[in-house]
Amino acid sequence: MPLSWNEIKDRSLAFSREWQNETSEDAEAKSFWDAFFNVFGVSRRRVAAFEQPVKKDDGKQGFIDLLWKGVILVEHKSRGKNLDRAFTQALEYFPGLKDAHLPKYVLVSDFARFRLYDLDAGGDPNQCTEFSITEFPQNVHHFGFLAGYEKRSFSTEDPVNIEAAARMGKLHDRLRECGYAGHDLEMLLVRLLFCMFAEDTAIFEKNAFLEYIENRTNEDGSDLGLHLSNIFQVLNTAPEKRMKTLDEQLQAMPYVNGGLFAGTIQIAQFDRTMRETLLECCALDWSRISPAIFGSMFQAAMNPAERRALGAHYTSEANILKALNPLFLDDLRAEFDRIKKQRPKLEEFHRRLASVRVFDPACGCGNFLVTAYRELRALELDVLATLDALKGTGQLATDVAAMTWVNVGQFYGIELEEFPVRIAEVALWLADHQMNLRASQQFGSYFTRLPLKESAHILHGNALRTDWRKVLPPSECSYIVGNPPFVGTQMQNAAQKADIRLVFGNDRVANSLDFVTAWYKKAAEYIAETRIKAAFVSTNSISQGEQVGVLW
């Protein structure tokens, strides 16, 4: 479990006081960096090595002062030395590192000064974060990634979403070519997705999954499937039920629960190429993934034909918000602004946020539900911060877990295919953890929800042949939203024709309406005599031309 931000800040102050007068690179550098990592509750000995040998780009042997593979490279100089030269020297080591070992950050220091370069932001010498050791406590948040907290925001435009989906697609293809397919393959990929996200967002220790695969499995991949099966079993076992002889690295992994690792799947037989592909996937920064859109990309990546157009197979967050904002988010924000100085009304508003139920009867990989959840949690954080300020106690930080009421169990969906159902469930858990980390940063106390106790209610079934009231009774539903499938009347197959005929009970209607209109019909029946509001994405064909008279 990561240290709280309050503890990290206290340790950073003690560190800066202890080391502010040190000068010699050789005499105390190792103790300096051991103490530096300890600020974040990380054992340097476990994660990073001094004097890592590497071939430089000129072919000569070099030694990296300190390397945490895949995370950070440190170049250390004596007080007063040129830090520009130190950064240039650090970059000279990169050609000799494997892709999976390339750091995301470079840190150069001379005891008195620190410069931190975020290489995912370009590594521009003019764009680094620089400060003195006495200013370390005020800048310690820049190093949140060491403790498992990520300072960066995620967005749909971030190319890491497409790159991650493409790499997972590559692994998918190789496994399927070797005869590993169907439900087992889909569940394996979803579980791997969770593990890779977990090690970059403080659910696991930083790089715990990658390091286990790299250090404990054969390079030819022959035993990788067995090790993965063992990891999944551990993640599904409560600590008190684990054997005392369990490997120490595995014992450190948390109990996840939630059903994600519960079922038994066939053990995959990996080869050298598949193992390298998995390590390439692990090397990405999964904390930057946007759960709201990655799921759709992930699904598209499983289809080689669709993979060529990755990034075009999802509804963007901007377009999702065009439905969610006018449906209910704008009203909630406006109400919050009106009452935020009135504590009783604000407390009642908070209780109401926890009672909101959102239903997507064509949820796919859950992008509408994930975006809605993230926005509700963001509003709840603003409510909690405002309540804390009104109370004037400053005690909320110790109670943030108990005070966070909005959860993934408030979200419901129906999806025809099983794989998107599993992705949607995991995507909501990932979004939940991202918001928990934001709460941790805002209030100073680490907050996670493990083992998983709440899950989204995603039904694997045909929405047009399902009684929506059995998924979520109308009396409990607040909003319906989604992007049902559009299929023109001339393009529908026999099964789709049968579905639309069942919904409308009329052959003439079934032969003249777009497939999406069936969701309008079922939604209209579902919300009758209720206060439920609904918003669907669809083409304007349903309100112009020959369909108007038939549908409306």
Side-chain angles (χ1 to χ4, degrees):
M1 180 179 293
L3 296 180
S4 72
W5 273 110
N6 292 335
E7 175 68 14
I8 290 172
K9 289 173 182 175
D10 287 344
R11 292 188 181 197
S12 70
L13 182 60
F15 173 85
S16 66
R17 288 173 175 168
E18 179 181 357
W19 292 96
Q20 60 186 349
N21 296 317
E22 190 56 56
T23 60
S24 171
E25 176 187 359
D26 297 326
E28 294 294 344
K30 292 184 178 180
S31 297
F32 178 84
W33 291 109
D34 284 347
F36 175 85
F37 277 91
N38 185 60
V39 168
F40 306 95
V42 175
S43 168
R44 192 280 311 163
R45 187 182 299 275
R46 191 187 67 79
V47 300
F50 290 114
E51 299 300 325
Q52 182 78 24
V54 65
K55 289 285 186 182
K56 298 196 293 185
D57 54 358
D58 61 4
K60 295 181 179 179
Q61 183 74 38
F63 293 90
I64 301 171
D65 286 344
L66 181 64
L67 178 66
W68 183 352
K69 294 175 181 178
V71 181
I72 189 169
L73 182 153
V74 174
E75 186 65 27
H76 190 90
K77 299 297 179 186
S78 298
R79 184 182 287 261
K81 294 293 185 179
N82 189 320
L83 295 188
D84 290 335
R85 173 60 188 138
F87 178 60
T88 301
Q89 184 176 342
L91 296 182
E92 291 173 353
Y93 298 128
F94 279 47
L97 294 172
K98 295 181 180 179
D99 286 349
H101 297 170
L102 288 171
K104 299 178 178 69
Y105 297 87
V106 169
L107 176 61
V108 296
S109 175
D110 68 346
F111 286 114
R113 295 171 296 158
F114 291 93
R115 279 190 193 172
L116 179 67
Y117 298 86
D118 182 346
L119 300 185
D120 286 332
D124 185 341
N126 297 316
Q127 298 297 319
C128 63
T129 300
E130 182 171 358
F131 51 89
S132 69
I133 191 169
T134 57
E135 297 170 322
F136 180 48
Q138 292 79 41
N139 289 274
V140 70
H141 61 280
H142 293 299
F143 298 92
F145 62 92
L146 295 176
Y149 299 102
E150 273 293 337
K151 66 174 179 20
R152 66 174 91 248
S153 60
F154 52 89
S155 68
T156 58
E157 291 77 19
D158 195 325
V160 75
N161 290 293
I162 295 176
E163 179 64 22
R167 292 191 190 186
M168 291 293 281
K170 182 180 175 182
L171 179 61
H172 164 274
D173 289 353
R174 181 61 181 154
L175 284 163
R176 190 171 61 179
E177 287 169 6
C178 295
Y180 193 79
H183 170 81
D184 289 343
L185 173 58
E186 293 172 353
M187 286 305 302
L188 173 65
L189 293 174
V190 171
R191 289 175 179 182
L192 291 175
L193 165 64
F194 182 91
C195 290
M196 290 184 290
F197 179 89
E199 69 173 357
D200 281 339
T201 57
I203 298 176
F204 297 172
E205 291 185 5
K206 187 73 173 177
N207 279 12
F209 185 64
L210 183 151
E211 289 175 2
Y212 185 91
I213 294 171
E214 189 169 51
N215 298 328
R216 306 295 292 276
T217 67
N218 297 331
E219 289 189 2
D220 64 4
S222 57
D223 62 348
L224 178 54
L226 288 169
H227 278 283
L228 289 176
S229 180
N230 200 18
I231 289 171
F232 298 157
Q233 185 178 43
V234 169
L235 293 173
N236 193 54
T237 305
E240 65 273 13
K241 294 183 180 180
R242 296 175 181 177
M243 291 185 65
K244 293 182 174 61
T245 53
L246 184 65
D247 179 90
E248 184 178 349
Q249 277 186 274
L250 293 175
Q251 191 70 263
M253 291 187 174
Y255 174 40
V256 174
N257 198 18
L260 177 59
F261 298 98
T264 300
I265 60 174
Q266 179 185 356
I267 295 175
Q269 302 302 315
F270 285 75
D271 59 17
R272 183 182 300 272
T273 300
M274 285 185 276
R275 180 178 179 273
E276 286 299 319
T277 302
L278 178 56
L279 289 172
E280 290 173 5
C281 290
C282 292
L284 287 168
D285 184 357
W286 289 83
S287 69
R288 290 167 53 191
I289 295 298
S290 171
I293 59 94
F294 177 74
S296 296
M297 288 189 184
F298 188 23
Q299 185 182 16
M302 302 307 106
N303 185 327
E306 292 186 11
R307 196 176 310 140
R308 291 193 299 271
L310 270 181
H313 292 274
Y314 69 95
T315 309
S316 70
E317 290 186 52
N319 284 333
I320 292 171
L321 290 171
K322 287 178 183 177
L324 292 174
N325 281 334
L327 180 64
F328 69 97
L329 291 175
D330 286 345
D331 289 342
L332 289 176
R333 278 284 173 189
E335 183 176 356
F336 170 66
D337 288 338
R338 286 196 307 270
I339 65 172
K340 60 185 179 182
K341 293 183 180 180
Q342 306 172 58
R343 180 177 162 184
K345 289 186 177 181
L346 198 56
E347 290 174 338
E348 173 56 33
F349 180 73
H350 185 202
R351 285 190 286 272
R352 187 146 52 85
L353 291 182
S355 70
V356 169
R357 299 291 183 273
V358 180
F359 179 29
D360 182 349
C363 71
C365 295
N367 50 0
F368 276 78
L369 297 177
V370 169
T371 303
Y373 177 63
R374 192 189 68 211
E375 295 300 312
L376 272 183
R377 282 290 305 274
L379 178 55
E380 183 186 40
L381 282 177
D382 289 344
V383 170
L384 291 176
T386 304
L387 282 171
D388 195 37
L390 290 174
K391 292 176 182 177
T393 62
Q395 294 301 308
L396 182 60
T398 61
D399 301 325
V400 63
M403 288 295 295
T404 301
W405 298 341
V406 177
N407 65 77
V408 295
Q410 297 171 223
F411 293 81
Y412 295 74
I414 304 175
E415 167 54 35
L416 184 62
E417 300 178 33
E418 182 190 12
F419 189 37
V421 170
R422 302 284 87 84
I423 295 173
E425 291 171 342
V426 172
L428 278 156
W429 281 326
L430 303 189
D432 179 63
H433 189 66
Q434 285 180 329
M435 296 309 298
N436 294 342
L437 288 179
R438 187 183 296 184
S440 300
Q441 292 172 317
Q442 183 166 331
F443 298 112
S445 177
Y446 180 68
F447 166 39
T448 188
R449 281 196 258 240
L450 284 181
L452 298 171
K453 295 179 181 178
E454 293 284 352
S455 299
H457 307 275
I458 312 293
L459 175 70
H460 174 208
N462 185 332
L464 300 187
R465 293 180 175 270
T466 297
D467 184 350
W468 294 4
R469 293 170 296 184
K470 292 183 179 179
V471 178
L472 176 62
S475 60
E476 298 176 16
C477 182
S478 308
Y479 307 101
I480 297 175
V481 70
N483 184 8
F486 169 81
V487 185
T489 183
Q490 302 300 320
M491 304 298 293
Q492 294 164 20
N493 59 34
Q496 291 165 334
K497 286 288 186 187
D499 285 345
I500 201 169
R501 188 178 299 113
L502 177 69
V503 171
F504 284 95
N506 185 304
D507 284 344
R508 181 177 66 86
V509 170
N511 291 328
S512 59
L513 288 179
D514 295 338
F515 195 45
V516 70
T517 60
W519 273 263
Y520 280 84
K521 176 70 156 50
K522 286 185 70 75
E525 293 171 343
Y526 180 84
I527 70 175
E529 300 181 359
T530 73
R531 297 174 65 89
I532 301 169
K533 294 182 179 180
F536 286 140
V537 176
S538 63
T539 67
N540 60 8
S541 62
I542 64 172
S543 56
Q544 65 182 18
E546 63 179 353
Q547 294 200 68
V548 175
V550 179
L551 174 63
W552 299 109

